[in-house]
Short mmCIF file of all heavy atoms in Angstrom, two decimals:
data_model
loop_
_atom_site.label_atom_id
_atom_site.label_comp_id
_atom_site.label_asym_id
_atom_site.label_seq_id
_atom_site.Cartn_x
_atom_site.Cartn_y
_atom_site.Cartn_z
N ILE A 44 155.31 47.78 99.09
CA ILE A 44 156.59 47.89 99.92
C ILE A 44 157.29 49.22 99.60
O ILE A 44 157.77 49.91 100.48
CB ILE A 44 157.54 46.71 99.64
CG1 ILE A 44 156.76 45.35 99.95
CG2 ILE A 44 158.79 46.80 100.41
CD1 ILE A 44 156.35 45.20 101.35
N LYS A 45 157.42 49.50 98.28
CA LYS A 45 158.12 50.71 97.86
C LYS A 45 157.45 51.98 98.43
O LYS A 45 158.11 52.87 98.96
CB LYS A 45 158.13 50.82 96.33
CG LYS A 45 158.92 49.63 95.66
CD LYS A 45 158.74 49.77 94.16
CE LYS A 45 159.41 48.60 93.45
NZ LYS A 45 159.22 48.63 92.02
N GLU A 46 156.16 52.03 98.42
CA GLU A 46 155.51 53.19 98.92
C GLU A 46 155.66 53.36 100.44
O GLU A 46 155.92 54.48 100.89
CB GLU A 46 153.97 53.19 98.57
CG GLU A 46 153.29 54.45 99.11
CD GLU A 46 151.96 54.78 98.32
OE1 GLU A 46 151.71 54.14 97.29
OE2 GLU A 46 151.25 55.58 98.84
N ILE A 47 155.51 52.28 101.14
CA ILE A 47 155.66 52.43 102.58
C ILE A 47 157.12 52.78 102.97
O ILE A 47 157.32 53.57 103.85
CB ILE A 47 155.28 51.11 103.26
CG1 ILE A 47 153.73 50.86 103.12
CG2 ILE A 47 155.63 51.08 104.73
CD1 ILE A 47 153.31 49.50 103.55
N ARG A 48 158.09 52.22 102.30
CA ARG A 48 159.48 52.53 102.51
C ARG A 48 159.81 53.94 102.17
O ARG A 48 160.57 54.66 102.87
CB ARG A 48 160.43 51.61 101.78
CG ARG A 48 160.57 50.24 102.32
CD ARG A 48 161.17 50.24 103.71
NE ARG A 48 162.56 50.53 103.69
CZ ARG A 48 163.27 51.13 104.61
NH1 ARG A 48 162.66 51.68 105.68
NH2 ARG A 48 164.56 51.38 104.49
N ASN A 49 159.16 54.50 101.10
CA ASN A 49 159.31 55.84 100.71
C ASN A 49 158.85 56.84 101.78
O ASN A 49 159.25 58.03 101.81
CB ASN A 49 158.62 56.17 99.35
CG ASN A 49 159.41 55.59 98.21
OD1 ASN A 49 160.64 55.32 98.30
ND2 ASN A 49 158.70 55.42 97.10
N GLN A 50 157.91 56.40 102.62
CA GLN A 50 157.40 57.19 103.66
C GLN A 50 158.30 57.10 104.95
O GLN A 50 158.05 57.76 105.94
CB GLN A 50 155.95 56.73 104.03
CG GLN A 50 154.92 56.99 102.97
CD GLN A 50 153.56 56.47 103.36
OE1 GLN A 50 153.24 56.39 104.53
NE2 GLN A 50 152.70 56.21 102.36
N GLY A 51 159.31 56.29 104.84
CA GLY A 51 160.33 56.23 105.91
C GLY A 51 160.07 55.15 106.96
O GLY A 51 160.79 55.18 108.06
N HIS A 52 159.18 54.24 106.75
CA HIS A 52 158.85 53.17 107.74
C HIS A 52 159.60 51.91 107.46
O HIS A 52 159.88 51.54 106.24
CB HIS A 52 157.31 52.92 107.74
CG HIS A 52 156.52 54.11 107.87
ND1 HIS A 52 156.63 54.97 109.05
CD2 HIS A 52 155.51 54.72 107.17
CE1 HIS A 52 155.75 55.93 108.94
NE2 HIS A 52 155.11 55.82 107.82
N GLU A 53 159.95 51.16 108.49
CA GLU A 53 160.57 49.85 108.33
C GLU A 53 159.56 48.84 108.14
O GLU A 53 158.38 49.00 108.57
CB GLU A 53 161.40 49.52 109.59
CG GLU A 53 162.60 50.43 109.78
CD GLU A 53 163.37 50.01 111.03
OE1 GLU A 53 162.87 50.26 112.10
OE2 GLU A 53 164.48 49.50 110.91
N ILE A 54 159.86 47.69 107.49
CA ILE A 54 158.87 46.71 107.15
C ILE A 54 159.27 45.30 107.51
O ILE A 54 160.39 44.78 107.21
CB ILE A 54 158.60 46.71 105.62
CG1 ILE A 54 158.00 48.07 105.21
CG2 ILE A 54 157.70 45.58 105.16
CD1 ILE A 54 157.85 48.24 103.67
N PHE A 55 158.31 44.61 108.19
CA PHE A 55 158.40 43.17 108.43
C PHE A 55 157.44 42.54 107.45
O PHE A 55 156.22 42.73 107.51
CB PHE A 55 158.05 42.83 109.83
CG PHE A 55 157.70 41.40 110.15
CD1 PHE A 55 158.21 40.36 109.36
CD2 PHE A 55 156.87 41.09 111.21
CE1 PHE A 55 157.93 39.05 109.70
CE2 PHE A 55 156.62 39.73 111.54
CZ PHE A 55 157.16 38.70 110.78
N LEU A 56 157.96 41.80 106.42
CA LEU A 56 157.14 41.17 105.37
C LEU A 56 156.75 39.77 105.90
O LEU A 56 157.62 38.86 105.92
CB LEU A 56 157.91 41.12 104.07
CG LEU A 56 157.09 40.59 102.88
CD1 LEU A 56 155.82 41.36 102.62
CD2 LEU A 56 157.98 40.53 101.60
N ASP A 57 155.56 39.63 106.28
CA ASP A 57 155.04 38.46 106.96
C ASP A 57 154.28 37.54 106.04
O ASP A 57 153.04 37.52 105.91
CB ASP A 57 154.16 38.92 108.13
CG ASP A 57 153.53 37.75 108.88
OD1 ASP A 57 154.16 36.67 108.90
OD2 ASP A 57 152.45 37.90 109.44
N LEU A 58 155.03 36.80 105.24
CA LEU A 58 154.43 35.92 104.23
C LEU A 58 154.53 34.43 104.66
O LEU A 58 153.88 33.58 103.97
CB LEU A 58 155.07 36.08 102.86
CG LEU A 58 154.93 37.44 102.22
CD1 LEU A 58 155.58 37.48 100.87
CD2 LEU A 58 153.51 37.91 102.24
N LYS A 59 155.29 34.09 105.70
CA LYS A 59 155.35 32.71 106.23
C LYS A 59 155.52 31.72 105.15
O LYS A 59 154.77 30.73 104.96
CB LYS A 59 154.04 32.43 107.01
CG LYS A 59 153.69 33.36 108.13
CD LYS A 59 152.40 32.92 108.83
CE LYS A 59 152.07 33.85 110.00
NZ LYS A 59 151.53 35.18 109.52
N LEU A 60 156.65 31.74 104.42
CA LEU A 60 156.88 30.90 103.30
C LEU A 60 157.02 29.46 103.80
O LEU A 60 157.65 29.17 104.88
CB LEU A 60 158.12 31.28 102.55
CG LEU A 60 158.17 32.64 101.83
CD1 LEU A 60 159.38 32.76 100.96
CD2 LEU A 60 156.88 32.94 101.07
N HIS A 61 156.42 28.46 103.11
CA HIS A 61 156.42 27.05 103.48
C HIS A 61 156.23 26.29 102.25
O HIS A 61 155.08 26.09 101.80
CB HIS A 61 155.38 26.77 104.56
CG HIS A 61 155.42 25.42 105.15
ND1 HIS A 61 154.52 24.97 106.08
CD2 HIS A 61 156.26 24.38 104.90
CE1 HIS A 61 154.83 23.74 106.42
NE2 HIS A 61 155.82 23.34 105.72
N ASP A 62 157.32 25.76 101.72
CA ASP A 62 157.25 24.95 100.48
C ASP A 62 158.52 24.08 100.42
O ASP A 62 159.29 24.05 101.36
CB ASP A 62 157.10 25.88 99.25
CG ASP A 62 156.29 25.23 98.09
OD1 ASP A 62 156.61 24.08 97.81
OD2 ASP A 62 155.38 25.87 97.58
N ILE A 63 158.75 23.47 99.28
CA ILE A 63 159.99 22.67 99.18
C ILE A 63 161.15 23.67 99.19
O ILE A 63 161.08 24.79 98.79
CB ILE A 63 159.94 21.80 97.91
CG1 ILE A 63 159.90 22.69 96.61
CG2 ILE A 63 158.79 20.81 97.89
CD1 ILE A 63 160.06 21.85 95.38
N PRO A 64 162.36 23.14 99.62
CA PRO A 64 163.49 24.04 99.82
C PRO A 64 163.83 24.90 98.62
O PRO A 64 164.12 26.11 98.76
CB PRO A 64 164.63 23.05 100.24
CG PRO A 64 163.90 21.93 100.87
CD PRO A 64 162.62 21.76 100.08
N ASN A 65 163.92 24.34 97.41
CA ASN A 65 164.33 25.08 96.25
C ASN A 65 163.32 26.20 95.98
O ASN A 65 163.75 27.37 95.69
CB ASN A 65 164.39 24.19 95.03
CG ASN A 65 164.88 24.94 93.82
OD1 ASN A 65 166.05 25.41 93.72
ND2 ASN A 65 164.03 25.07 92.78
N THR A 66 162.05 25.92 96.10
CA THR A 66 161.01 26.97 95.82
C THR A 66 161.13 28.12 96.80
O THR A 66 161.10 29.28 96.40
CB THR A 66 159.60 26.36 95.91
OG1 THR A 66 159.48 25.37 94.87
CG2 THR A 66 158.56 27.39 95.75
N VAL A 67 161.35 27.79 98.12
CA VAL A 67 161.47 28.84 99.10
C VAL A 67 162.73 29.66 98.92
O VAL A 67 162.75 30.89 99.02
CB VAL A 67 161.39 28.23 100.52
CG1 VAL A 67 161.80 29.32 101.59
CG2 VAL A 67 160.01 27.64 100.84
N GLY A 68 163.85 28.99 98.60
CA GLY A 68 165.08 29.70 98.33
C GLY A 68 164.97 30.67 97.20
O GLY A 68 165.49 31.82 97.24
N GLN A 69 164.37 30.27 96.08
CA GLN A 69 164.23 31.09 94.97
C GLN A 69 163.25 32.25 95.21
O GLN A 69 163.49 33.41 94.81
CB GLN A 69 163.72 30.30 93.70
CG GLN A 69 164.73 29.27 93.19
CD GLN A 69 166.03 29.95 92.73
OE1 GLN A 69 166.13 31.01 92.14
NE2 GLN A 69 167.12 29.25 93.05
N ALA A 70 162.24 31.93 95.94
CA ALA A 70 161.27 32.99 96.32
C ALA A 70 161.95 34.04 97.17
O ALA A 70 161.71 35.25 97.06
CB ALA A 70 160.06 32.35 97.03
N MET A 71 162.76 33.60 98.11
CA MET A 71 163.47 34.49 99.03
C MET A 71 164.51 35.40 98.28
O MET A 71 164.69 36.54 98.67
CB MET A 71 164.05 33.76 100.18
CG MET A 71 164.38 34.54 101.39
SD MET A 71 162.89 35.28 102.15
CE MET A 71 162.22 33.87 103.01
N LYS A 72 165.07 34.86 97.23
CA LYS A 72 165.91 35.71 96.40
C LYS A 72 165.17 36.91 95.85
O LYS A 72 165.64 37.99 95.78
CB LYS A 72 166.50 34.86 95.18
CG LYS A 72 167.63 34.05 95.57
CD LYS A 72 168.19 33.40 94.33
CE LYS A 72 169.41 32.44 94.66
NZ LYS A 72 169.93 31.84 93.40
N GLY A 73 163.91 36.67 95.41
CA GLY A 73 163.08 37.77 94.87
C GLY A 73 162.67 38.73 95.98
O GLY A 73 162.76 39.96 95.82
N LEU A 74 162.20 38.18 97.08
CA LEU A 74 161.77 39.01 98.23
C LEU A 74 162.95 39.86 98.77
O LEU A 74 162.76 41.02 99.21
CB LEU A 74 161.15 38.19 99.36
CG LEU A 74 159.89 37.46 99.02
CD1 LEU A 74 159.38 36.64 100.18
CD2 LEU A 74 158.77 38.46 98.52
N GLY A 75 164.16 39.31 98.76
CA GLY A 75 165.32 39.98 99.26
C GLY A 75 165.70 41.20 98.45
O GLY A 75 166.41 42.11 98.98
N LYS A 76 165.18 41.31 97.22
CA LYS A 76 165.48 42.46 96.46
C LYS A 76 164.61 43.70 96.82
O LYS A 76 164.80 44.79 96.40
CB LYS A 76 165.30 42.18 94.92
CG LYS A 76 166.24 41.15 94.42
CD LYS A 76 166.03 40.77 92.96
CE LYS A 76 167.02 39.64 92.57
NZ LYS A 76 166.79 39.18 91.17
N LEU A 77 163.54 43.41 97.60
CA LEU A 77 162.70 44.46 98.14
C LEU A 77 163.40 45.03 99.38
O LEU A 77 164.16 44.44 99.97
CB LEU A 77 161.34 43.91 98.58
CG LEU A 77 160.55 43.23 97.50
CD1 LEU A 77 159.22 42.58 98.06
CD2 LEU A 77 160.18 44.13 96.36
N ASP A 78 163.12 46.28 99.64
CA ASP A 78 163.75 47.00 100.76
C ASP A 78 163.00 46.64 102.03
O ASP A 78 162.27 47.48 102.57
CB ASP A 78 163.78 48.51 100.45
CG ASP A 78 164.62 49.24 101.45
OD1 ASP A 78 165.31 48.64 102.33
OD2 ASP A 78 164.59 50.43 101.45
N ILE A 79 163.23 45.42 102.56
CA ILE A 79 162.54 45.04 103.76
C ILE A 79 163.54 44.83 104.91
O ILE A 79 164.72 44.55 104.61
CB ILE A 79 161.70 43.72 103.54
CG1 ILE A 79 162.59 42.62 102.97
CG2 ILE A 79 160.51 44.04 102.61
CD1 ILE A 79 161.91 41.29 102.83
#
Side-chain angles (χ1 to χ4, degrees):
I44 303 297
K45 296 176 185 177
E46 180 157 349
I47 293 172
R48 284 296 288 147
N49 286 339
Q50 294 180 23
H52 306 302
E53 294 180 290
I54 296 175
F55 166 24
L56 184 57
D57 177 27
L58 298 184
K59 302 181 181 73
L60 299 188
H61 186 180
D62 211 312
I63 63 172
N65 183 66
T66 296
V67 171
Q69 293 300 320
M71 200 60 76
K72 280 186 182 180
L74 295 179
K76 295 175 183 177
L77 303 174
D78 188 8
I79 55 176

